[in-house]
Amino acid sequence: MPVVVAMRGVRSRRSSAALLLLGALALGAWSLVGKARLVRADFVMANGGEVTSLDPARVTGVPEGRVLYALFEGLVVKHPQTLEPLPGMARSWEISEDGRRYTFHLRPEARWSNGDPLFASDVEWSWRRLLHPDTAAEYAYQLWGVVAARAFSHHPRDRGLFLEQGLWVEARADTLRLGLQPPSPELLDGGPPLVLRCTPGESFERGDVLIQVGERELSAPFSGRCRAHNLPPPTGEGPVDPYAADWLLEWEASSDELEQARAQGRLLEGSELEQALWDRVGIRALDEHTLVVDLVHPTPYFLQLTGYYPLFPVHRRSLEEARRRNPKTWRRQWLAPENLVTNGPFALYERRINDRLRLRKNPYYWDADRVAMDTIDILAADNYGTLLNLYLTGEVDWIDRAPPNLVPRLLEREDFRPTPYLGVYFYRVNVTRPPLDDRRVRTALALSIDREAICEKIVKKGEQPNWGLVPHGMPGYRRAEMKHAPRKGGSPRVAFEADCERARALLAEAGFGPGGKELGEIELLYNTSEAHRDIAEVVADGWRRHLGVDARLVNQEWKVYLDTQVQLDYDVSRSSWIADYADPNNFLSVFVGSGENNRTGWSDPAYDEWIERAAREADPARRAELLRAAEEILVRELPILPIYTYVSTNLVKPRLGGFHENVQDDHLPKFLYWMDDEELERSRQARAAGSQVSPGGPDSGLYPPAAARGAER
């Protein structure tokens, strides 16, 4: 069993409060009986359930991210308090005057956890893997601001490419189809219309102009006869997706000419095609320690992205060896503790499914001298009662959630630190399923959610009701909200009743309710959590009482729940989004039509265009206006039902140093250490908040080696 930290130095009144908390719990057992015993780690945290994967390119959840920030490192790391980018794997960087070229200089001393040197080519290969369609990375779009990166992700490998003109060609049964390879800025910028120079039935020769966009002319790669054409939407209706229905020409051509084009190298296919596509991407290792990245447009948050876990490098040799040895099960083998090679402050030592991950300090980490903890345990526990029991008995040093009914009592303690941060709680709606494909139905469901009751009676930690996607407190941004009765200066209850009245009218307008059709039962999906269940019950009760709509609650474990969302096998699903970087684009780009994290079936060309235009806008104020225009579409169409913005709910031992509240609730293990009694007392005097509790950690502290030698800490 882990060592229980004694409740030393706590007055009897405070101890009684802790005992009252323990007595209030109907504890689920987190039992280590029957499991091999481990000596307690230097630091123990709970992580809200079993992680889905440890592959940086394959995960999207907060629990996984916390582990990856310990095991891996990006070009930059986040400052523990301000979140500003600090040198990480890159010791320095330069940004060109136009903001489009980043040159990173990697540390010569950077190493993998097996001692291998870490080179710029490792980053290039890892980013190529993230973008590759075979990886199916939901966060691949984070790199689409890089020159030609989106084209590399999207180009179907079964379509050839006439590289000199940027035209793709698809061989069909008896015809060929031709389209434009993205990006096609002439179309996306609302510029001159695209003109086709041939009509169905007309013959043409190789070299004849087939397509004209402004002054740009695209000629026929070989002769043929036009069979059909498929013009893209008129300018102003949104960007074109050249790989969906937006092929441009279909024509008859001889197979001899097609084979000749292949032989001459004018038509690229297979591995040649893939390499040619990659050669156009603006990611290049110039030498062992220099990485150059070229962006399509200036991107204010790009530097932050390089410290975000999808962009962490992975060890190519160990991955490819695992794939060669076990083509079917290589992912499991590659990510096993004995095989996983990482580059962060810690390495994976042991994994016990549904129990814990044990991490050990990585001796090859470039900054190991400033890492205090030798071992870390990350527990897979998500039951409120279990978590609080583990924390109060000293078996865990940090938990990120607490039973809502005990929040008023916890607020009296020094170790409970609710702090607003950039996260939103909402429901996704599967708009592909009737009647949820009707915006009026979605709006009615959104209006009849009692956000005030959820914030005041369920979560109870200071969360704010939310009627949009972007959370409160986003710097430099004016949020858009769905239309609702105003709360300021009046009664929230009266306003909510007005919203419900409007919701009933919208349902009647859509043909549902008294005298109309039955709306039918709606499934409300949520992942395992007491709070999610309680919120779902409030929402379902409100829909039933105010709209006469029955909702059936469906609970799934984390992995299954994520798969259900991805497969669009749900009606309405509990969701959240936590800022990966402090920019409204981080939230709004999720719901572009091609976004892997969209998971609603919703798309809107105008919405995508506003996001695209914002990506190209250098002026911060104008860029914020463009993003707000996109959010206005989202809160009008409502593929999501906003509910509230988050506050953090951390219970953290007072002796833990390097743990700072911040707007993203990010706490990198690299910076954590244990204060000695003297520093603890200074910290308590500065904070002066709440009744003192057991501080946790060793009395003498646990500092990194550099600090022990007198370096600044």
Side-chain angles (χ1 to χ4, degrees):
M1 288 280 290
V3 176
V4 176
V5 179
M7 295 284 212
R8 56 186 178 276
V10 183
R11 294 196 297 270
S12 59
R13 178 180 62 82
R14 296 166 189 154
S15 296
S16 297
L19 290 172
L20 284 171
L21 286 172
L22 284 169
L25 299 173
L27 292 175
W30 176 272
S31 175
L32 298 182
V33 176
K35 298 177 182 176
R37 299 188 178 191
L38 287 171
V39 175
R40 191 191 196 279
D42 292 334
F43 172 70
V44 184
M45 59 177 280
N47 201 33
E50 183 65 38
V51 296
T52 59
S53 175
L54 296 176
D55 181 350
R58 299 275 295 178
V59 300
T60 61
V62 172
E64 291 80 7
R66 286 183 179 148
V67 179
L68 295 178
Y69 281 122
L71 293 175
F72 294 89
E73 183 171 273
L75 294 171
V76 303
V77 297
K78 301 176 183 180
H79 186 284
Q81 192 165 14
T82 68
L83 302 177
E84 289 299 311
L86 298 174
M89 190 171 48
R91 63 180 179 180
S92 62
W93 53 84
E94 295 99 37
I95 306 173
S96 62
E97 287 189 14
D98 64 2
R100 295 178 56 227
R101 169 164 286 192
Y102 286 69
T103 303
F104 295 95
H105 304 283
L106 274 64
R107 300 176 183 276
E109 67 271 26
R111 293 284 185 276
W112 294 98
S113 58
N114 66 349
D116 287 352
L118 196 158
F119 297 133
S121 57
D122 293 318
V123 182
E124 179 184 339
W125 183 84
S126 298
W127 288 9
R128 176 173 178 164
R129 176 177 178 260
L130 176 68
L131 288 166
H132 200 289
D134 288 352
T135 306
E138 294 185 40
Y139 275 136
Y141 70 87
Q142 298 287 15
L143 279 177
W144 286 354
V146 174
V147 169
R150 185 171 184 174
F152 180 80
S153 285
H154 277 186
H155 192 99
R157 271 40 182 182
D158 60 350
R159 292 181 181 177
L161 177 68
F162 294 100
L163 192 61
E164 68 274 8
Q165 297 193 87
L167 297 172
W168 59 257
V169 63
E170 177 187 18
R172 301 172 68 79
D174 58 349
T175 62
L176 300 175
R177 274 187 178 176
L178 180 140
L180 284 173
Q181 191 213 19
S184 303
E186 299 91 342
L187 299 176
L188 300 180
D189 286 340
L194 182 148
V195 178
L196 297 182
R197 295 296 188 188
C198 70
T199 58
E202 181 181 357
S203 297
F204 51 84
E205 299 295 326
R206 176 181 170 186
D208 288 351
V209 175
L210 293 184
I211 305 167
Q212 185 167 354
V213 184
E215 297 181 358
R216 181 185 178 195
E217 294 182 342
L218 302 175
S219 58
F222 36 73
S223 59
R225 186 170 68 89
C226 184
R227 170 79 68 85
H229 65 77
N230 181 38
L231 287 172
T235 301
E237 289 189 10
V240 174
D241 179 359
Y243 296 138
D246 298 312
W247 54 274
L248 300 177
L249 289 173
E250 185 172 274
W251 79 87
E252 299 170 358
S254 71
S255 57
D256 290 343
E257 286 200 79
L258 187 62
E259 288 304 319
Q260 187 178 22
R262 290 190 179 105
Q264 293 172 345
R266 294 187 296 114
L267 175 62
L268 301 179
E269 296 173 301
S271 60
E272 289 183 345
L273 165 65
E274 181 157 312
Q275 187 57 47
L277 291 170
W278 180 253
D279 288 343
R280 296 172 128 196
V281 177
I283 300 169
R284 195 67 63 236
L286 295 188
D287 55 43
E288 289 185 347
H289 302 113
T290 308
L291 182 77
V292 175
V293 183
D294 289 313
L295 306 180
V296 179
H297 306 288
T299 306
Y301 53 85
F302 181 73
L303 196 59
Q304 297 181 61
L305 275 182
T306 65
Y308 182 37
Y309 62 79
L311 276 65
F312 289 169
V314 295
H315 188 253
R316 179 177 183 176
R317 180 165 57 84
S318 61
L319 184 153
E320 291 182 338
E321 285 180 0
R323 187 159 48 195
R324 177 178 52 79
R325 291 195 306 265
N326 303 286
K328 294 183 178 180
T329 62
W330 69 270
R331 291 187 189 279
R332 185 170 67 250
Q333 300 299 321
W334 169 52
L335 297 172
E338 63 272 19
N339 296 325
L340 183 60
V341 179
T342 62
N343 74 317
F346 296 90
L348 182 62
Y349 174 70
E350 185 172 2
R351 181 173 188 179
R352 299 182 178 186
I353 300 297
N354 294 320
D355 177 18
R356 70 187 63 216
L357 299 168
R358 169 150 290 193
L359 314 184
R360 282 189 170 176
K361 185 175 175 177
N362 175 10
Y364 294 104
Y365 177 56
W366 68 268
D367 204 20
D369 210 30
R370 293 184 181 273
V371 177
M373 308 297 181
D374 286 321
T375 55
I376 292 179
D377 273 356
I378 302 177
L379 305 188
D382 56 14
N383 177 272
Y384 280 125
T386 299
L387 289 172
L388 189 56
N389 182 47
L390 289 167
Y391 178 79
L392 292 173
T393 57
E395 294 190 26
V396 172
D397 304 309
W398 167 33
I399 61 175
D400 68 348
R401 64 200 68 187
N405 62 312
L406 296 179
V407 165
R409 193 172 296 180
L410 291 172
L411 287 169
E412 301 172 0
R413 298 165 55 101
E414 65 172 331
D415 55 347
F416 188 52
R417 308 176 180 179
T419 305
Y421 77 103
L422 300 178
V424 287
Y425 193 103
F426 60 93
Y427 283 164
R428 279 180 166 88
V429 182
N430 181 357
V431 304
T432 68
R433 289 185 175 180
L436 300 173
D437 57 346
D438 190 320
R439 181 180 69 184
R440 295 166 297 185
V441 173
R442 300 193 298 268
T443 304
L445 295 177
L447 286 169
S448 52
I449 294 175
D450 194 343
R451 293 162 178 80
E452 285 86 3
I454 290 171
C455 291
E456 295 170 7
K457 298 178 182 179
I458 304 297
V459 289
K460 299 188 293 189
K461 297 175 293 295
E463 292 84 350
Q464 291 180 280
N466 195 25
W467 283 270
L469 176 63
V470 179
H472 298 277
M474 181 66 72
Y477 182 72
R478 184 169 62 93
R479 304 165 55 254
E481 293 186 343
M482 60 176 284
K483 184 179 178 182
H484 65 281
R487 264 62 174 172
K488 288 185 178 180
S491 164
R493 184 53 42 193
V494 172
F496 177 63
E497 291 299 331
D499 284 339
C500 290
E501 184 176 347
R502 179 169 166 246
R504 289 187 288 271
L506 284 169
L507 281 187
E509 183 182 317
F512 299 101
K517 298 175 291 185
E518 287 280 341
L519 191 65
E521 184 181 70
I522 293 176
E523 284 190 357
L524 182 49
L525 173 69
Y526 66 95
N527 59 295
T528 302
S529 163
E530 295 158 70
H532 300 333
R533 180 200 62 209
D534 293 345
I535 292 169
E537 288 175 349
V538 170
V539 171
D541 180 65
W543 288 348
R544 182 174 56 255
R545 289 192 297 111
H546 301 296
L547 302 181
V549 174
D550 290 328
R552 181 168 65 89
L553 305 190
V554 178
N555 167 229
Q556 293 179 346
E557 294 300 321
W558 178 249
K559 292 181 181 180
V560 179
Y561 151 86
L562 287 179
D563 287 341
T564 300
Q565 275 195 355
V566 170
Q567 299 298 324
L568 288 182
D569 189 19
Y570 72 91
D571 293 334
V572 178
S573 176
R574 199 288 310 178
S575 294
S576 63
W577 197 261
I578 311 300
D580 306 311
Y581 48 91
D583 191 281
N585 176 76
N586 186 209
F587 293 84
L588 296 170
S589 64
V590 171
F591 292 99
V592 297
S594 58
E596 296 287 350
N597 282 314
N598 185 317
R599 304 179 197 166
T600 64
W602 178 79
S603 65
D604 187 294
Y607 181 88
D608 292 359
E609 184 174 13
W610 288 120
I611 298 296
E612 194 75 31
R613 289 177 60 184
R616 300 191 298 273
E617 180 56 59
D619 179 72
R622 177 60 183 153
R623 178 175 176 272
E625 291 175 3
L626 296 171
L627 290 171
R628 190 180 193 278
E631 190 175 18
E632 286 174 344
I633 294 174
L634 190 74
V635 297
R636 183 181 70 241
E637 297 297 324
L638 290 174
I640 64 165
L641 312 180
I643 299 180
Y644 64 79
T645 57
Y646 274 109
V647 296
S648 62
T649 55
N650 297 306
L651 269 162
V652 56
K653 293 299 182 181
R655 193 184 293 278
L656 188 65
F659 189 104
H660 302 279
E661 290 82 11
N662 58 62
V663 295
Q664 289 181 231
D665 199 29
D666 276 341
H667 311 283
L668 274 62
K670 165 180 178 167
F671 296 108
L672 302 180
Y673 66 95
W674 291 112
M675 307 178 196
D676 58 24
D677 284 344
E678 181 181 351
E679 187 179 0
L680 171 64
E681 185 57 33
R682 291 198 303 269
S683 174
R684 280 174 160 167
Q685 289 176 1
R687 187 178 293 274
S691 59
Q692 292 185 7
V693 299
S694 171
D699 295 350
S700 57
L702 181 60
Y703 296 98
R709 293 196 299 269
E712 181 182 354
R713 64 174 185 248

